[in-house]
Amino acid sequence: MTKDYYKILGVEKGATKEEIKKAYKTLAKKYHPDLNKDNSQAQEKFKEISEAASILGNDEKRKQYDQFGSESFKNGGAGQGFSGFGGQGFSGFGSQGGNFDFEDIFEAFFGGGGRGRREQRQGANIRFDLDITLEEAAFGTSKDIKLKKKNVCKKCEGSGGEETETCSTCHGTGQVRSIKRTPFGAFQTTSACNSCIGTGKEIKKKCNYCDGDGYTIGEKKIHVDIPKGVEDEMRLRVEREGEAGERGSVPGDLYIYIHVEEHDFFERNGNDINVEIPISYTQAVFGDSIEIPTLGGKAKLKIPEGTQSGTIFRMKDKGIPYLRGYGVGDQNVTVIVDVPRKLNKKQKEALEKYGKLIGDSAKPQKGFLEKIFG
């Protein structure tokens, strides 16, 4: 009968390896044979969760299980099998007085650091927040930023030594293999060599510039190209410009978070630009050709006769270029009829005369109310 390994560990099918590891560790400590010597049910439960962990903790076996179920491991597909634990019970597999070593089996299933193991570590990533203008976001720009951080030593190029030789422990591979003996058989694990920290080289003479660390701390100027069309809160990655790691390891990355400043006149909507432009009453009535601002400079816009306040005109390709692909957004111009607040005597007389000439047609709200109330 097919076993539900996810249910046994109490995790969802989409659980990460870390979640599986955490669930197994909690249950394994609860049902550990050394803590339940007279409880056969607890020992059976431990066998069950260990079986589940050995499958779900291994990417290839988990993939096989997800596709074919636990039946695919009946004939030793899960490693050395689980039935009877090779007739050896729970003793004799650990390193602590003949008792079962939980850490050994835990490490065999999931790999990782283990006790006393030193892994070569990549340098830390760095975040830098950069403010740019809307114009810079539209057309792209270049910036030089300064960071104080760990930098790869220029003299030894991160090796930490002026003179090095091939590591005698790992013979230059940077890795060592070990075999862990567990109730489920022998597991071979690979880890970074402790002697050379995974570099494959041992230092004969330390670098006098970085004192063998492989890095120095100081300010570095980094040139960054901002592409056309970037958006607010977008993140740019600059490879290997983060903190330098342990000697011989790869530096981290620099992540630049873009913050686009608000513009005094323009408003961005995706790749389009919106702007409001005031026009006079006579321009709205008689029409006109007006000059308006765009991100790229001044441009002409034709206002037809009888234009109403709030009318939107689209100016093709006057917006922001698309970041991924071809084309440019548009600029949407909303015209607002500017009603004069003060008129001189002649202006008032002229408008009053105009009002009398057109009569009730100067009161459009009257017809609107008639449509609603009849």
Side-chain angles (χ1 to χ4, degrees):
M1 186 174 68
T2 297
K3 300 178 182 179
D4 189 340
Y5 290 141
Y6 293 103
K7 188 175 181 180
I8 289 171
L9 292 180
V11 297
E12 299 292 332
K13 189 172 182 180
T16 65
K17 185 174 284 190
E18 284 301 316
E19 290 171 334
I20 292 171
K21 184 188 293 187
K22 184 178 180 181
Y24 168 70
K25 194 169 186 177
T26 300
L27 293 171
K29 287 182 177 180
K30 181 178 180 181
Y31 295 105
H32 196 293
D34 289 347
L35 301 177
N36 300 274
K37 292 181 179 180
D38 298 325
N39 188 341
S40 59
Q41 290 183 345
Q43 293 186 7
E44 287 299 318
K45 181 66 175 177
F46 184 81
K47 286 166 59 178
E48 188 178 49
I49 62 175
S50 296
E51 178 182 343
S54 72
I55 301 300
L56 301 184
N58 182 291
D59 292 337
E60 292 183 6
K61 292 177 182 177
R62 182 177 180 179
K63 185 177 180 181
Q64 180 180 339
Y65 167 71
D66 288 341
Q67 189 170 2
F68 302 108
S70 63
E71 297 296 309
S72 62
F73 299 106
K74 266 190 171 182
N75 298 319
Q80 301 295 323
F82 300 94
S83 178
F85 295 88
Q88 301 185 61
F90 287 99
S91 62
F93 294 101
S95 58
Q96 302 182 19
N99 293 325
F100 180 79
D101 190 343
F102 167 75
E103 292 295 340
D104 283 347
I105 187 67
F106 182 76
E107 184 182 318
F109 288 161
F110 298 99
R115 291 166 299 173
R117 179 179 296 166
R118 185 179 182 187
E119 299 287 351
Q120 184 185 14
R121 293 179 296 178
Q122 179 176 329
N125 296 329
I126 295 177
R127 170 174 176 152
F128 185 86
D129 293 87
L130 180 64
D131 295 329
I132 62 173
T133 65
L134 184 59
E135 287 85 355
E136 289 174 329
F139 304 114
T141 186
S142 294
K143 299 284 186 180
D144 287 326
I145 63 175
K146 292 182 179 180
L147 293 175
K148 186 176 182 180
K149 63 185 183 73
K150 293 180 180 179
N151 299 298
V152 175
C153 177
K154 294 179 180 179
K155 186 172 182 179
C156 66
E157 297 181 344
S159 69
E162 292 184 20
E163 296 180 24
T164 60
E165 61 183 5
T166 301
C167 177
S168 58
T169 302
C170 66
H171 306 291
T173 64
Q175 296 180 328
V176 291
R177 291 183 176 87
S178 59
I179 296 177
K180 294 288 185 180
R181 195 167 163 74
T182 75
F184 309 111
F187 287 83
Q188 180 175 282
T189 60
T190 302
S191 60
C193 176
N194 286 332
S195 299
C196 64
I197 322 177
T199 64
K201 298 286 185 181
E202 289 182 311
I203 296 176
K204 289 184 64 178
K205 182 181 178 183
K206 282 186 178 182
C207 172
N208 60 10
Y209 193 70
C210 66
D211 196 29
D213 292 327
Y215 64 83
T216 57
I217 298 177
E219 190 175 72
K220 183 177 181 181
K221 184 168 71 172
I222 301 170
H223 184 79
V224 180
D225 291 320
I226 310 298
K228 297 178 181 179
V230 293
E231 298 182 27
D232 190 47
E233 297 299 328
M234 188 168 283
R235 187 182 73 173
L236 302 179
R237 177 188 176 199
V238 185
E239 290 186 349
R240 302 195 178 186
E241 285 295 356
E243 299 272 16
E246 293 184 355
R247 61 180 179 86
S249 62
V250 178
D253 296 328
L254 169 63
Y255 288 92
I256 298 177
Y257 286 76
I258 300 297
H259 301 286
V260 182
E261 299 170 346
E262 288 189 8
H263 200 278
D264 292 337
F265 307 108
F266 299 110
E267 180 184 84
R268 181 172 182 172
N269 181 20
N271 288 87
D272 291 341
I273 289 294
N274 299 329
V275 63
E276 291 186 353
I277 299 295
I279 61 174
S280 69
Y281 177 73
T282 53
Q283 285 176 313
V285 172
F286 299 113
D288 197 2
S289 178
I290 63 174
E291 197 173 59
I292 64 165
T294 70
L295 287 175
K298 296 178 181 179
K300 290 285 187 177
L301 177 66
K302 185 177 181 181
I303 305 296
E305 293 182 6
T307 293
Q308 303 297 305
S309 185
T311 299
I312 299 174
F313 295 94
R314 182 171 71 117
M315 301 182 72
K316 190 172 176 58
D317 297 336
K318 294 295 185 182
I320 294 177
Y322 286 89
L323 180 63
R324 299 178 182 88
Y326 299 98
V328 181
D330 302 323
Q331 176 166 306
N332 300 307
V333 181
T334 302
V335 294
I336 305 297
V337 177
D338 184 25
V339 178
R341 296 180 182 274
K342 292 183 179 181
L343 297 174
N344 58 37
K345 185 177 180 181
K346 289 185 177 180
Q347 290 171 334
K348 286 183 178 179
E349 290 175 351
L351 277 176
E352 286 172 355
K353 185 176 181 180
Y354 167 75
K356 290 177 181 179
L357 285 173
I358 62 175
D360 286 344
S361 62
K363 301 176 181 179
Q365 72 278 4
K366 182 178 180 181
F368 180 69
L369 290 172
E370 289 175 353
K371 287 181 181 179
I372 297 176
F373 300 109

